Amino acid sequence: MKREIRIDPVTRIEGHAKITIHLDDAGNVADARFHVTELRGFEEFCVGRTLWEMPSLTSRICGICPVSHILASAKTGDAILAVRVPDTAVLLRRLMNLGQLVQSHALSFFYLSAPDLLLGWDSDPATRNVFGLFAKDPELTRRAVRLRSFGQQIIERLGGKRIHPAWAVPGGVNQGLSPKITAGSRRTSRRRSIRPARRSTCSRRRSGTTRRAGH
Amino acid sequence: MNKVKIATVWLSGCAGCHMSLLDIDETLLDIADRIEFVRSPVVDLKEFPADGMDVTIVEGAVANEEHLEILHEVREKSKLVIALGDCAVTGNIPSMRNNRIPPQELLERVYGKERTVNGTLPTEVVPAPRSGPAGARGHSGRHMAARVPAPGRGDRKGDPRAPRREDAGARGQGAEVRVKEER
């Protein structure tokens, strides 16, 4: 008897998808398909818009890896305008991309895949997630969260925010790396620092004056 | 103390709002003993449990038939529904196609013969895209929300106040689910 096994939705991935596995009469796999179920139409609604909108528009393809889309779009803009990007901007773009690699790998491995690998394929689906991981190994999970946060903070300090920074533009980047930025933006200072945070650090930060300095 | 049961769903969007949620970093772990993520893209349960959610956070706009179904289920099974982010509230980026191109034409342009190898439209597994009706564009209708009634406020199908995507106004697919609490 022909059967179809359907996994819908596929969870703990970065995006929307279904998987269908088609079995033949003997119960063997005849075909397997991975379906990307989301059509948003970027390829159509971007047509006719200005070059300068593209990095901000296309970064919204993905909020998990917006930096990839911002940089791809900015580099396309560089090529269209036939401009030479300053060396500093090339390095800064590269730095932000590395920040993204850190955060996205931390997300992919620790938040999404690790529950399978560390709790086991056959563990209870209800707790087979990052919170189940936290219950089993709090220290590891905290370090994983800090690793993702570290990558996100690199992006934030360069581009002003963690997700969809409007920073890379055709021709380079719209803001350099000033001492003010490295000292931490107002947004960054509200959050826990890159250093491993302890509770005492947190409470001191909360009552401190640094947080209001930017207002 | 009972844990607060939380669900999150992503409709048409970029997952950035979910990432913003994760960007509270260790705070998420600090409150882990008080909340339970029951149904979310980052956990494994695929169905909404029948006993319902305390809070459901919705990211993204309604851009296809499946999203609408999910949103109805979310409303029925949640005490509190929170629309998180621009896409869920105004339609934002996913609604930009509405100003240019009807859904069917979009499908044909993206998957049609000129673009893909066999030119077959993905009707089997890709949910049919939705859009606002022609003529509903323009600023005037922009803030008209598709109100999804709380459970117990009348039959969804027969109730004139029932959510109709056609009422969503200019942005067409801005599934504006205002926070409503079950009383």
Side-chain angles (χ1 to χ4, degrees):
Chain A
M1 194 183 74
K2 285 193 170 71
R3 275 182 63 208
E4 181 188 296
I5 298 169
R6 182 174 281 237
I7 301 168
D8 177 22
V10 183
T11 50
R12 289 192 280 120
I13 58 166
E14 302 182 0
H16 300 72
K18 298 175 187 177
I19 290 173
T20 52
I21 301 164
H22 304 265
L23 305 181
D24 62 16
D25 293 334
N28 295 320
V29 175
D31 196 7
R33 291 181 182 179
F34 176 83
H35 311 271
V36 177
T37 57
E38 189 77 5
L39 171 65
R40 286 175 292 169
F42 276 86
E43 55 273 72
E44 291 298 332
F45 71 65
C46 283
V47 174
R49 304 195 74 97
T50 67
L51 182 67
W52 313 106
E53 289 179 296
M54 286 304 118
S56 288
L57 276 180
T58 57
S59 80
R60 267 70 181 181
I61 289 170
C62 180
I64 299 169
C65 59
V67 173
S68 303
H69 296 284
I70 294 166
L71 293 183
S73 182
K75 287 170 84 170
T76 307
D78 300 340
I80 292 170
L81 296 173
V83 291
R84 184 178 173 278
V85 179
D87 292 344
T88 310
V90 171
L91 292 171
L92 287 174
R93 284 180 179 182
R94 203 171 287 168
L95 180 60
M96 182 182 273
N97 198 39
L98 292 171
Q100 162 160 295
L101 286 178
V102 171
Q103 71 86 9
S104 190
H105 278 67
L107 176 84
S108 178
F109 184 78
F110 288 104
Y111 287 73
L112 305 178
S113 302
D116 285 333
L117 302 171
L118 300 177
L119 301 175
W121 310 106
D122 300 324
S123 61
D124 182 3
T127 54
R128 193 172 55 203
N129 55 51
V130 70
F131 296 99
L133 198 61
F134 181 60
K136 189 185 179 193
D137 193 339
E139 186 50 36
L140 175 85
T141 312
R142 277 198 186 274
R143 285 168 65 192
V145 168
R146 282 174 205 150
L147 180 62
R148 177 175 177 278
S149 177
F150 174 76
Q152 288 287 69
Q153 286 178 57
I154 291 173
I155 296 169
E156 183 181 14
R157 290 192 182 197
L158 286 167
K161 56 180 184 173
R162 290 181 171 205
I163 298 164
H164 302 314
W167 176 75
V169 292
V173 298
N174 66 11
Q175 191 181 23
L177 187 66
S178 72
K180 194 179 155 204
I181 294 171
T182 52
S185 65
R186 182 167 60 85
R187 265 177 66 90
T188 304
S189 67
R190 285 213 310 266
R191 300 178 192 276
R192 295 179 189 198
S193 73
I194 283 177
R195 283 172 286 116
R198 299 264 179 268
R199 280 177 190 281
S200 59
T201 315
C202 181
S203 57
R204 190 168 69 240
R205 189 170 294 275
R206 219 173 270 144
S207 58
T209 53
T210 47
R211 152 175 190 201
R212 292 186 184 84
H215 282 274
Chain B
M1 190 179 73
N2 286 337
K3 288 185 176 183
V4 176
K5 287 197 288 185
I6 296 177
T8 70
V9 294
W10 56 31
L11 306 178
S12 186
C14 73
C17 296
H18 273 77
M19 293 306 107
S20 284
L21 196 61
L22 297 186
D23 276 340
I24 64 174
D25 296 337
E26 287 176 76
T27 308
L28 200 61
L29 302 179
D30 294 339
I31 59 172
D33 56 343
R34 280 184 269 172
I35 58 169
E36 183 185 1
F37 271 75
V38 178
R39 165 78 180 80
S40 166
V42 298
V43 306
D44 271 352
L45 208 61
K46 296 186 194 302
E47 304 291 335
F48 258 79
D51 57 346
M53 290 297 122
D54 293 316
V55 180
T56 300
I57 298 168
V58 179
E59 172 190 344
V62 170
N64 64 38
E65 298 294 341
E66 186 181 45
H67 295 150
L68 190 61
E69 277 176 35
I70 292 171
L71 201 55
H72 280 309
E73 188 178 17
V74 161
R75 178 62 280 181
E76 277 167 19
K77 294 183 177 173
S78 311
K79 288 180 187 163
L80 191 69
V81 176
I82 298 172
L84 179 66
D86 284 345
C87 299
V89 174
T90 70
N92 200 27
I93 299 271
S95 74
M96 286 180 72
R97 71 182 193 216
N98 291 357
N99 296 325
R100 291 185 64 86
I101 182 166
Q104 186 61 29
E105 199 182 326
L106 178 73
L107 272 178
E108 280 162 14
R109 281 206 215 167
V110 174
Y111 294 102
K113 281 203 162 51
E114 288 174 21
R115 294 282 181 85
T116 54
V117 177
N118 61 9
T120 311
L121 300 190
T123 51
E124 276 181 40
V125 286
V126 175
R130 291 182 68 92
S131 182
R137 293 166 189 161
H139 188 73
S140 59
R142 184 171 172 181
H143 297 293
M144 289 169 61
R147 301 300 169 110
V148 181
R153 292 192 184 178
D155 175 18
R156 175 154 50 85
K157 293 191 178 72
D159 188 343
R161 293 166 303 171
R164 288 163 55 95
R165 291 302 315 130
E166 289 74 16
D167 293 336
R171 292 296 176 149
Q173 55 208 112
E176 182 164 336
V177 185
R178 295 284 190 199
V179 173
K180 282 187 178 179
E181 206 161 358
E182 188 184 33
R183 296 179 200 287

